[in-house]
Amino acid sequence: MSARERLKGSTRHDYSRAVFTGTFTEWQEFLLEKESVFWSIVRLFDYLLRGFSQVVFANNPISGLLITISLGVNAPGTLLLSAITGSLGLLLSVLIRDSQENIANGLTVFNPLLVGAISSSLIPNIYGPFDDFSLLLIILGTIFSVYLTRSFKNNKLPFIAWPFNLAEFALLLVLYAKDNGLDTSEELQPVTRMDNATSDATTGNISFIGENATGIHIDWGMMFHGVVVSASQVLAVESVIMGAVVYLACLLCSPITAGFAFLGALIGSLAGLMLGIQVDEIYAGLWGYNTFLTGASLGTLFAFSGQTAVAVIVAIVYTVIVQYGVLFFFRDLKLPILSLPFILVASLFLQLRNDSEDKTFLQPPPISAPQEQRRDCLANQQLIQQINDAENIGNGAKDRKNISTLDV
């Protein structure tokens, strides 16, 4: 086998790991061999579960099943609406003939799914009980997110959660305007504390940032609670059990993803203390979920190395600063920031890997776990170096031959 042929097949390594960990490609390959109607339905269910896991950048159906079960136990209404919008997004992506690779790995599901999950918590707080109009907007928001996902992909932009945020902000602004009227002269009250990561805030007589927390007793047990529930706040649920399950789901797919996600939540929570944020917000995970997502996303989408690890930590710290700045502009609005700080920072830092020849920030295969990415990228670089060495040796031999001919 030539060096170039080995390079072509270098992304297919047999790693010594439990078969159900990583991206569980063995299960995908098994399903692809089945052609009956029953197995077609199972495939769609696999796509949906992978969509649930992709919310925290863990491409594994078992991870998705764990998240689904924990969400059903802690917030059954959220599970119902997210499953409906996720299924609608999946079917629509099939109808518009989206990339089969993206469909099979849940990438066309997680943005529509988030529209349902977050709307389940936000709409009752911002608009009131669900009615025909709000449900219609949720359906439209789901459709918008599918087309926006396709659009971002076609423009080679890191779509991550941009489609969800754009669709959800549009939905919420319409509902807020309808509920309050476009000509309302009532002064908007400042935002104080969110009940969950993406919910509307409760108004009061203090600002969102509140008084400086310096001097206030810090309950470090509750600080750890905030780090754990930061993971569940990604789906707008404040639950220690669900947060622990989300970390387990990440760990099942990739220890690297889980490690950076936990580090992100920890740094975000501690940074909240340093910035003088009200401790109740930190305990609730509100200062950890955006940094959790930054750590999980970049830890997954970068091929792991010392350089990329430092870049991820820098991005996590930058996410805290961006969140603090965004809240400065959002504090007078009765609207949440969603995951805006995360997507802004992640989109910027993902540009570091745009150069395929960059040896510092390696560009991994599109669908793989971080530990597999590093092995594949290093193997590819070694093979490329072998090819270049062979070509240099060949060119040197030709030059020596030409010189010998001239001497004769």
Side-chain angles (χ1 to χ4, degrees):
M1 181 183 292
S2 68
R4 292 186 183 276
E5 289 173 341
R6 282 183 287 142
L7 176 60
K8 184 177 180 181
S10 64
T11 58
R12 299 178 182 179
H13 297 288
D14 185 18
Y15 302 109
S16 56
R17 57 172 175 78
V19 68
F20 54 83
T21 59
T23 56
F24 205 175
T25 54
E26 293 82 0
W27 174 245
Q28 283 182 313
E29 293 169 359
F30 171 79
L31 291 178
L32 288 174
E33 296 173 355
K34 307 299 180 180
E35 297 181 354
S36 66
V37 174
F38 170 78
W39 288 109
S40 296
I41 295 174
V42 173
R43 269 198 302 274
L44 291 175
F45 190 60
D46 175 73
Y47 302 162
L48 185 62
L49 288 179
R50 287 180 184 272
F52 272 94
S53 67
Q54 288 283 10
V55 170
V56 291
F57 301 93
N59 180 18
N60 186 302
I62 298 179
S63 298
L65 182 61
L66 290 173
I67 293 173
T68 302
I69 292 173
S70 63
L71 189 59
V73 171
N74 291 278
T78 299
L79 173 62
L80 176 62
L81 193 54
S82 62
I84 292 173
T85 56
S87 300
L88 177 60
L90 173 60
L91 295 176
L92 183 57
S93 65
V94 172
L95 289 175
I96 65 175
R97 300 178 182 178
D98 213 327
S99 166
Q100 183 59 38
E101 183 181 42
N102 288 345
I103 293 173
N105 289 282
L107 294 176
T108 63
V109 172
F110 82 92
N111 274 294
L113 184 153
L114 281 171
V115 171
I118 306 307
S119 296
S120 175
S121 297
L122 285 179
I123 290 179
N125 291 320
I126 290 179
Y127 179 69
F130 288 102
D131 58 14
D132 293 342
F133 183 71
S134 60
L135 291 175
L136 174 62
L137 283 183
I138 291 174
I139 294 174
L140 290 175
T142 301
I143 295 172
F144 296 156
S145 68
V146 173
Y147 280 93
L148 287 171
T149 299
R150 179 72 171 267
S151 176
F152 273 78
K153 174 182 175 294
N154 290 342
N155 287 282
K156 298 181 179 180
L157 296 172
F159 56 85
I160 40 177
W162 273 111
F164 151 68
N165 278 268
L166 293 173
E168 190 71 16
F169 272 125
L171 183 157
L172 295 177
L173 286 169
V174 171
L175 289 176
Y176 184 82
K178 184 176 185 298
D179 189 47
N180 292 276
L182 294 175
D183 298 325
T184 179
S185 58
E186 180 183 357
E187 183 178 355
L188 295 180
Q189 297 296 318
V191 176
T192 56
R193 180 185 181 277
M194 293 184 181
D195 295 324
N196 55 53
T198 49
S199 71
D200 183 31
T202 304
T203 58
N205 57 5
I206 54 176
S207 70
F208 185 93
I209 302 303
E211 65 180 13
N212 194 288
T214 303
I216 296 178
H217 173 70
I218 304 300
D219 186 334
W220 292 104
M222 287 302 295
M223 282 294 297
F224 183 73
H225 172 278
V227 173
V228 175
V229 299
S230 294
S232 65
Q233 288 284 20
V234 172
L235 287 163
V237 177
E238 183 179 343
S239 167
V240 173
I241 295 176
M242 183 175 172
V245 171
V246 171
Y247 279 115
L248 176 61
C250 291
L251 184 65
L252 189 64
C253 181
S254 168
I256 295 175
T257 299
F260 277 120
F262 182 83
L263 181 63
L266 178 63
I267 291 176
S269 299
L270 292 176
L273 282 180
M274 296 177 62
L275 292 171
I277 304 301
Q278 286 183 294
V279 291
D280 286 349
E281 296 172 15
I282 301 172
Y283 295 162
L286 301 181
W287 280 83
Y289 77 94
N290 269 298
T291 48
F292 170 97
L293 288 170
T294 299
S297 63
L298 297 183
T300 301
L301 299 175
F302 279 141
F304 180 73
S305 68
Q307 291 279 10
T308 56
V310 173
V312 174
I313 294 173
V314 172
I316 289 170
V317 175
Y318 187 42
T319 302
V320 177
I321 304 302
V322 171
Q323 180 170 344
Y324 194 84
V326 168
L327 285 174
F328 178 79
F329 293 101
F330 273 66
R331 64 181 178 180
D332 289 332
L333 298 175
K334 297 175 67 176
L335 291 174
I337 62 171
L338 302 180
S339 57
L340 184 60
F342 148 63
I343 58 175
L344 287 172
V345 173
S347 297
L348 292 173
F349 273 76
L350 283 174
Q351 300 305 311
L352 288 172
R353 63 173 204 164
N354 271 1
D355 185 358
S356 59
E357 298 180 358
D358 190 343
K359 295 182 180 180
T360 302
F361 300 101
L362 305 176
Q363 189 173 46
I367 307 295
S368 58
Q371 60 271 21
E372 298 168 358
Q373 294 170 2
R374 176 167 172 77
R375 291 169 181 163
D376 290 342
C377 287
L378 291 177
N380 286 351
Q381 285 191 338
Q382 290 175 357
L383 289 171
I384 290 172
Q385 186 62 44
Q386 291 175 11
I387 293 171
N388 292 336
D389 291 344
E391 290 176 350
N392 291 335
I393 291 172
N395 292 334
K398 288 180 181 179
D399 291 340
R400 288 193 296 271
K401 184 177 179 180
N402 292 335
I403 292 172
S404 299
T405 303
L406 290 174
D407 291 341
V408 173

